[in-house]
Amino acid sequence: MFLDTVLTRNPELVETATALHRSGAIPPDTYVMDLDTIEANAQLLAAEAERLGLTLWFVAKQFGRNPELVRAIARHIPKFAAIDAPEARILHAAGARAGNLGHLAQIPTRSLEEMLAWRPEAVTVYDVANAEAVSRAAQRLGSVQHLLVRLQGAPGTVHPGQEGGVPPERLDGFAERVERLPGVRIAGVTAFPCVRCDPDTGEPEPTANLPSALAARDRLAARGHHGLKLSAPGASSVAALPLLARHGATHAEPGHALTGTTPLHAAGHRSERPGYVYVSEVAHTLADGRPAVHGGGFYPRARINDALLPRSGARLAVHDAPAENIDYYRLLEAPATPGDAELGDTAVFAFRTQVFVTRSNVAVVAGLSSGRPRLHGLYSALGRALD
């Protein structure tokens, strides 16, 4: 999906990742992250958001909640949106500040006091019961917590496993009950996804959730709530931020834009540069000549097209694999010349991923921008430093 883009816009990353694997510094099933590029992308996003009057909360799940990358991003985007409680703890420990907690996954009730003590800018709630739980925890802490109302997504926009939220037609009833709770205040609305990329042009466009969220904010304002936030996540990038500003959003939540891997980036030149590649190696060859590479990081929705084998320069198509199967290996097409793919050969891929749901390693490389690349560290897919 992104191999041509990274070879054109960040070839040094491919060269460095290949050298690290050949030397044995990194194993197969490793995402190699370009620290300099990812920080530069964060700086671009922060500057555009400031120009437009938007506030950003960065998302870290796609690059494995890596603490080195978190610290680099937080120098430009200080606050995060954590998608679950384990991620929130890692980002908080790395020194970033809590922006939005509870979206996409609600904060477990027994973790509320711990996380509300960090004084997050907002907590997203999906229903009255969660608002009541936040209210009780905030009262015990003697604080008032701002809430974002998560709206139920419009039909056809919600990914399986992400269901929930307040139906728009029940917003007034929800608000009436929450307005009576001590320790909390309705501070805005959110929905997901609010922006998607047109499959033909790659351009950002609003989903039905964005006008729904705008209407919900207007209804809350009519009830007397002031200064309401509207966080509109989904494909948040330099190219998409003007669209959000035009539609009245106040917050965006960049994730894949930080690594230059939104669908917009696959469709053409964008401000953000690609910031990672995936490295594997040839594990064995089938009797029909097809090489199998080690798996572990082949995200089912990645839309992988081909692999580069740098030793021979071969570009081999990647065979599809059912999402329900474990990716012990991934098959490539048989090369035209058998010697183009040999046991142990490095294989480099560039595709859209969510590292936190893989079993991969994450290698952080710095110094590419100055021509002096060095491996900073090797981590698990959940941000734990490895020996």
Side-chain angles (χ1 to χ4, degrees):
M1 184 177 182
F2 295 106
L3 190 53
D4 287 330
T5 303
V6 74
L7 285 169
T8 300
R9 301 196 63 199
N10 198 351
E12 299 84 4
L13 175 57
V14 176
E15 294 166 7
T16 299
T18 301
L20 288 170
H21 176 255
R22 285 177 175 169
S23 72
I26 63 171
D29 186 23
T30 296
Y31 286 95
V32 181
M33 301 284 172
D34 179 349
L35 180 66
D36 300 5
T37 289
I38 291 171
E39 180 168 3
N41 288 341
Q43 191 170 12
L44 285 170
L45 285 156
E48 180 67 357
E50 182 177 15
R51 184 183 75 84
L52 295 167
L54 295 170
T55 298
L56 299 182
W57 295 321
F58 74 87
V59 178
K61 62 189 175 73
Q62 74 286 349
F63 57 75
R65 305 168 176 175
N66 186 272
E68 286 196 68
L69 301 179
V70 166
R71 286 189 286 269
I73 292 164
R75 286 193 280 269
H76 309 281
I77 306 172
K79 294 185 180 182
F80 61 81
I83 60 100
D84 58 21
E87 180 169 286
R89 292 187 181 99
I90 294 170
L91 273 58
H92 175 71
R97 293 158 54 196
N100 182 15
L101 304 182
H103 191 227
L104 297 163
Q106 294 284 269
I107 304 172
T109 55
R110 293 164 187 83
S111 300
L112 277 168
E113 281 192 55
E114 170 198 358
M115 295 185 181
L116 296 191
W118 304 342
R119 299 294 188 263
E121 185 177 340
V123 168
T124 293
V125 292
Y126 282 47
D127 56 21
V128 171
N130 274 278
E132 290 171 341
V134 174
S135 169
R136 291 190 293 270
Q139 287 180 82
R140 290 193 291 270
L141 293 169
S143 61
V144 176
Q145 178 59 56
H146 288 191
L147 302 180
L148 292 185
V149 182
R150 161 66 182 255
L151 293 180
Q152 180 177 287
T157 67
V158 180
H159 302 300
Q162 297 181 17
E163 300 88 354
V166 178
E169 67 274 13
R170 298 183 185 178
L171 179 62
D172 286 308
F174 170 90
E176 184 177 354
R177 294 179 65 180
V178 174
E179 287 161 356
R180 296 198 294 264
L181 297 175
V184 294
R185 184 175 79 81
I186 295 176
V189 297
T190 188
F192 183 79
C194 289
V195 176
R196 73 176 192 110
C197 300
D198 183 279
D200 297 321
T201 67
E203 293 301 313
E205 60 181 21
T207 71
N209 294 327
L210 185 53
S212 176
L214 289 165
R217 185 175 63 178
D218 290 343
R219 285 165 60 188
L220 291 173
R223 296 183 63 87
H225 298 279
H226 303 292
L228 292 168
K229 300 177 176 66
L230 171 54
S231 184
S236 301
S237 64
V238 168
L241 294 182
L243 180 152
L244 296 180
R246 288 196 305 271
H247 282 79
T250 62
H251 290 65
E253 302 180 14
H256 271 286
L258 294 162
T259 50
T261 51
T262 75
L264 282 71
H265 296 87
H269 183 87
R270 300 293 174 180
S271 299
E272 302 93 341
R273 295 173 68 225
Y276 70 78
V277 292
Y278 179 66
V279 176
S280 186
E281 71 175 54
V282 175
H284 61 276
T285 302
L286 275 62
D288 61 10
R290 288 179 294 167
V293 298
H294 291 285
F298 290 104
Y299 179 60
R301 295 171 57 208
R303 292 173 54 193
I304 309 168
N305 295 326
D306 55 358
L308 170 68
L309 277 61
R311 180 190 60 81
S312 63
R315 290 276 293 268
L316 303 179
V318 180
H319 288 218
D320 289 335
E324 62 268 22
N325 287 25
I326 300 171
D327 66 329
Y328 296 109
Y329 302 104
R330 198 66 179 265
L331 291 176
L332 311 181
E333 70 175 359
T337 304
D340 282 352
E342 297 180 348
L343 179 67
D345 273 353
T346 304
V348 179
F349 305 78
F351 51 78
R352 182 176 170 88
T353 190
Q354 300 283 347
V355 171
F356 83 112
V357 297
T358 72
R359 59 184 189 273
S360 303
N361 307 288
V362 173
V364 178
V365 175
L368 280 172
S369 61
S370 61
R372 296 188 295 274
R374 58 194 182 279
L375 178 63
H376 258 214
L378 193 64
Y379 297 82
S380 75
L382 297 178
R384 180 174 59 85
L386 304 175
D387 293 335

